[in-house]
Amino acid sequence: VFHRTIDSISSRREREMEAETIVLESLLERNRREKEVFEDVFVEYQKLLVEWRRGKQREKELEDTKAKLVEARERETNNAFLKQLQMEVSGLKEEKYEAYKKLYDQEKRLEELREAARTLQEVQEKVQELEKQLEREIQAREAACSELDERQAEKRQAQEERDTLRSENQQLVQRLVETSQRAAEKFNEAIRIHEDAVNMKNHYEMLLKASIDIQNIKIKPEGAFDAEIGGNIPAKVRLRQNAHEGEASAVKLDRSGNMVATCGLDKQVRIWDAYSGKSMHTLKGMLETVTDIDFTADSRHILAAGHERCMRLYDLSSERVKHTLNGHTDKVHACCCSPADSRRCVSSGADRMIRVWDLQRGINSSNMICMSTCFSLCLSVEGGTMCSGHFNGTVRIWDISKHSQATEIKAHSQKVTSVTFMPTGNELLTCARDSTIHLIDLRMNEVRKSFKVPGFRPANDRCRICCSPDGQHIACGSVDGGLYVLDASTGEEKAVLQGKNYHQNAVVSCEWGPMGLVSVDKDGDLLFWQ
């Protein structure tokens, strides 16, 4: 409608301009034509005026002659002269009659000339009015042209906006289609995920029971050790491995506790046997520092995140990259695979985005924006709840199915470096750069217990702490190279594993599984504790 209105205005202005031009030319032609006519009238008028003056002069002469005649009558001098005078008088009367007749005709012609003059004046006034109107129309035309230029500029801008909106609309339609497809897939997967969650819960309960009864296991792999129950307090180093050249970043156990994974500044991910401590796999392909790792629920793949703004999913059987997950626009600080679904994981980075990934297809399925950088993530056993620790000291709880934040807890005064679910699933273990450890009740969304251990200080912004499989103890590494073991109920210090036979540099991460405790430090050393 806008374009049609602009086109109609332009065409109407062109027609008006053509009409004005025609009117002006006709007026000028009419003025020229009528002016030539009146020039002849004025010339004739001057001639008639001269003749009228002559008639007046002749009339005066006749009056003089009449006076002479009267005078002659009075004198009665000569009849012949009188007759002659009478004849002259008669001739003069006829001349007077003719003169009056001419005068009458001249006055009539003069009246016609006056009427023509009045008409000419009216025409001149009309011409002046038309000239003023033409000037106004020219000004209006200039204003209309200016307005037309503005309208055309607005039209071009509107066309650009239309093209932009059309492109955005196409993108939105594409996203809507993809969202609908994902929603359909999620709807189809809902029942299976529920069943997997129930099976995982039963498996996890069996795993806890197995960890408590692990002393009764008779068959052990080659090179295995006679371990204490996974929840017992570590007393000494069982094995030591130099896992990485330079600083190590993180250590993780798979769900069964049979494999240990480490990563570091040397851009490698290494897999170790939890019993013998032997190297099983060395995974390469990351181009920058690897900051975090995690096993998938089926322990067939491992996910690695790093500074190169992407993550890579490795297939452990082939030691090759299965998917490269691109999407983050800055360093990736943390990643976590779902304990219930080997096809789902979450990640967070310095771009203040938490992303949910489909590991089967290697795509970013959804995003959640957070206003503070997230340094640590963990998923619940059923995979439906996520907890995140942030730069501003807050802990956020998210509903993965709705892709929205459920609640926010102001737990610490500084950066949160670690968040971990306790075995019960109802409590969250957190640690921050303010050197405090909190137990948060997720049912009440409040800090239930708070511990501050003398001498304990996190080594960096991603320093991970852990709890024992039975949930009775907490282990945390410190910048002084010590590994602190606390009672989870009271916060009482049960052991400080520190000395020349232990870590010689800051402990950055630790994990506690059925086979015992493992930890890594800034020297790249991996320690298996007994």
Side-chain angles (χ1 to χ4, degrees):
V1 171
F2 177 77
H3 298 327
R4 290 197 295 273
T5 303
I6 293 300
D7 296 336
S8 64
I9 291 174
S10 300
S11 62
R12 187 173 69 250
R13 292 306 306 157
E14 291 175 357
R15 292 194 298 273
E16 290 176 355
M17 289 168 61
E18 293 175 356
E20 290 169 1
T21 303
I22 294 172
V23 169
L24 179 59
E25 291 176 353
S26 64
L27 288 175
L28 292 175
E29 179 63 21
R30 179 181 177 184
N31 182 45
R32 183 184 61 77
R33 189 170 57 252
E34 292 181 353
K35 186 176 179 181
E36 291 176 355
V37 173
F38 286 112
E39 284 179 354
D40 297 335
V41 171
F42 284 129
V43 172
E44 188 68 21
Y45 174 77
Q46 293 295 330
K47 291 180 180 180
L48 291 173
L49 187 62
V50 171
E51 290 179 0
W52 180 77
R53 288 175 181 173
R54 289 177 180 175
K56 284 288 185 180
Q57 183 67 30
R58 186 63 178 167
E59 183 180 2
K60 186 176 180 181
E61 292 175 356
L62 290 174
E63 290 293 334
D64 294 337
T65 304
K66 184 179 180 180
K68 289 179 181 181
L69 180 60
V70 172
E71 184 177 359
R73 281 179 180 178
E74 291 176 353
R75 292 178 181 179
E76 296 178 354
T77 55
N78 192 334
N79 292 331
F81 180 73
L82 181 60
K83 288 181 180 179
Q84 184 179 357
L85 290 177
Q86 287 177 351
M87 291 176 65
E88 290 178 357
V89 168
S90 298
L92 289 173
K93 285 182 178 178
E94 290 178 358
E95 290 178 359
K96 180 180 178 181
Y97 173 78
E98 293 294 332
Y100 274 107
K101 186 177 180 180
K102 289 182 179 181
L103 180 62
Y104 173 78
D105 294 334
Q106 290 175 356
E107 287 179 350
K108 186 176 180 180
R109 184 65 176 170
L110 180 62
E111 185 66 26
E112 290 177 355
L113 290 174
R114 288 175 180 171
E115 184 66 25
R118 287 194 295 271
T119 304
L120 178 61
Q121 185 177 2
E122 291 176 356
V123 170
Q124 289 176 346
E125 290 176 354
K126 288 183 179 179
V127 169
Q128 292 176 355
E129 181 66 26
L130 288 172
E131 288 176 350
K132 293 180 181 179
Q133 183 177 359
L134 178 61
E135 184 178 0
R136 290 194 297 270
E137 291 292 335
I138 291 172
Q139 294 176 353
R141 175 191 173 187
E142 293 175 351
C145 291
S146 176
E147 182 180 0
L148 179 61
D149 293 338
E150 294 178 356
R151 296 285 183 175
Q152 288 177 347
E154 292 176 355
K155 176 182 177 182
R156 289 191 295 269
Q157 183 178 0
Q159 288 175 345
E160 294 175 355
E161 292 177 353
R162 179 200 63 189
D163 295 338
T164 303
L165 291 174
R166 185 175 294 171
S167 176
E168 292 177 353
N169 184 56
Q170 291 176 353
Q171 294 177 1
L172 288 173
V173 170
Q174 183 64 26
R175 290 174 59 185
L176 180 61
V177 171
E178 294 176 356
T179 303
S180 300
Q181 292 176 352
R182 289 197 298 268
E185 292 174 358
K186 290 178 181 178
F187 181 79
N188 294 332
E189 291 174 1
I191 297 176
R192 184 189 57 77
I193 291 174
H194 176 71
E195 294 174 352
D196 290 345
V198 173
N199 295 334
M200 184 60 68
K201 180 180 179 182
N202 296 333
H203 175 72
Y204 192 77
E205 291 174 352
M206 293 174 61
L207 186 61
L208 289 177
K209 184 176 180 181
S211 66
I212 296 174
D213 299 331
I214 198 169
Q215 285 183 325
N216 298 326
I217 297 176
K218 301 301 182 181
I219 301 175
K220 300 177 182 178
E222 182 180 357
F225 64 96
D226 292 329
E228 300 291 338
I229 296 176
N232 287 353
I233 299 173
K236 61 182 180 179
V237 175
R238 176 170 61 87
L239 291 170
R240 178 191 295 269
Q241 292 284 0
N242 185 247
H244 298 277
E245 296 179 3
E247 181 178 336
S249 301
V251 61
K252 286 291 176 68
L253 290 167
D254 72 335
R255 302 295 182 261
S256 66
N258 295 325
M259 291 187 292
V260 179
T262 61
C263 63
L265 272 64
D266 60 0
K267 310 172 189 177
Q268 294 183 358
V269 178
R270 302 193 67 181
I271 313 298
W272 311 84
D273 187 284
Y275 294 94
S276 64
K278 293 181 179 179
S279 176
M280 299 172 63
H281 306 282
T282 299
L283 308 175
K284 299 180 180 180
M286 299 294 284
L287 303 179
E288 295 187 30
T289 299
V290 185
T291 56
D292 202 7
I293 48 177
D294 198 13
F295 286 96
T296 57
D298 57 9
S299 299
R300 297 172 57 188
H301 302 87
I302 188 167
L303 184 67
H307 285 180
E308 58 178 308
R309 299 180 294 181
C310 70
M311 298 188 296
R312 286 184 170 83
L313 183 68
Y314 290 91
D315 187 334
L316 294 181
S317 61
S318 64
E319 297 187 356
R320 292 183 178 180
V321 176
K322 181 178 181 180
H323 293 300
T324 298
L325 308 178
N326 295 301
H328 284 285
T329 59
D330 209 333
K331 299 176 183 178
V332 185
H333 290 313
C335 63
C336 182
C337 296
S338 172
D341 187 357
S342 59
R343 296 173 296 178
R344 177 185 289 179
C345 77
V346 294
S347 64
S348 65
D351 57 359
R352 299 182 182 178
M353 292 288 289
I354 296 178
R355 299 179 182 271
V356 182
W357 302 86
D358 184 337
L359 295 180
Q360 184 176 11
R361 296 185 293 170
I363 62 172
N364 182 196
S365 59
S366 61
N367 300 318
M368 291 168 282
I369 301 174
C370 49
M371 303 309 296
S372 180
T373 303
C374 174
F375 289 100
S376 181
L377 293 168
C378 64
L379 288 167
S380 59
V381 173
E382 75 280 0
T385 303
M386 179 183 68
C387 295
S388 58
H390 296 267
F391 179 89
N392 60 1
T394 59
V395 174
R396 291 184 172 90
I397 302 170
W398 307 79
D399 187 338
I400 295 295
S401 60
K402 298 180 180 179
H403 308 131
S404 62
Q405 179 180 322
T407 186
E408 179 177 322
I409 304 169
K410 182 61 178 176
H412 296 274
S413 60
Q414 295 184 30
K415 304 174 188 176
V416 179
T417 66
S418 177
V419 290
T420 307
F421 277 100
M422 295 294 283
T424 60
N426 296 325
E427 291 180 319
L428 188 69
L429 177 65
T430 66
C431 176
R433 291 306 293 268
D434 58 8
S435 302
T436 58
I437 298 171
H438 289 332
L439 277 175
I440 298 175
D441 190 333
L442 297 178
R443 293 166 295 187
M444 303 298 294
N445 293 327
E446 61 182 17
V447 178
R448 188 172 66 85
K449 294 179 182 179
S450 181
F451 309 133
K452 194 170 182 67
V453 182
F456 167 68
R457 190 158 56 93
N460 57 29
D461 293 341
R462 296 184 299 274
C463 182
R464 307 291 193 246
I465 67 173
C466 62
C467 66
S468 60
D470 58 7
Q472 299 299 314
H473 300 95
I474 299 170
C476 49
S478 177
V479 71
D480 59 5
L483 192 61
Y484 293 78
V485 181
L486 312 178
D487 187 293
S489 299
T490 63
E492 179 184 356
E493 188 178 287
K494 292 295 186 180
V496 179
L497 306 175
Q498 187 176 17
K500 64 179 182 179
N501 294 325
Y502 303 139
H503 287 290
Q504 301 302 305
N505 205 335
V507 181
V508 295
S509 181
C510 58
E511 281 281 304
W512 205 329
M515 297 299 107
L517 182 67
V518 291
S519 58
V520 292
D521 59 27
K522 287 192 174 183
D523 286 337
D525 289 337
L526 168 64
L527 272 60
F528 297 81
W529 297 88
Q530 179 178 338

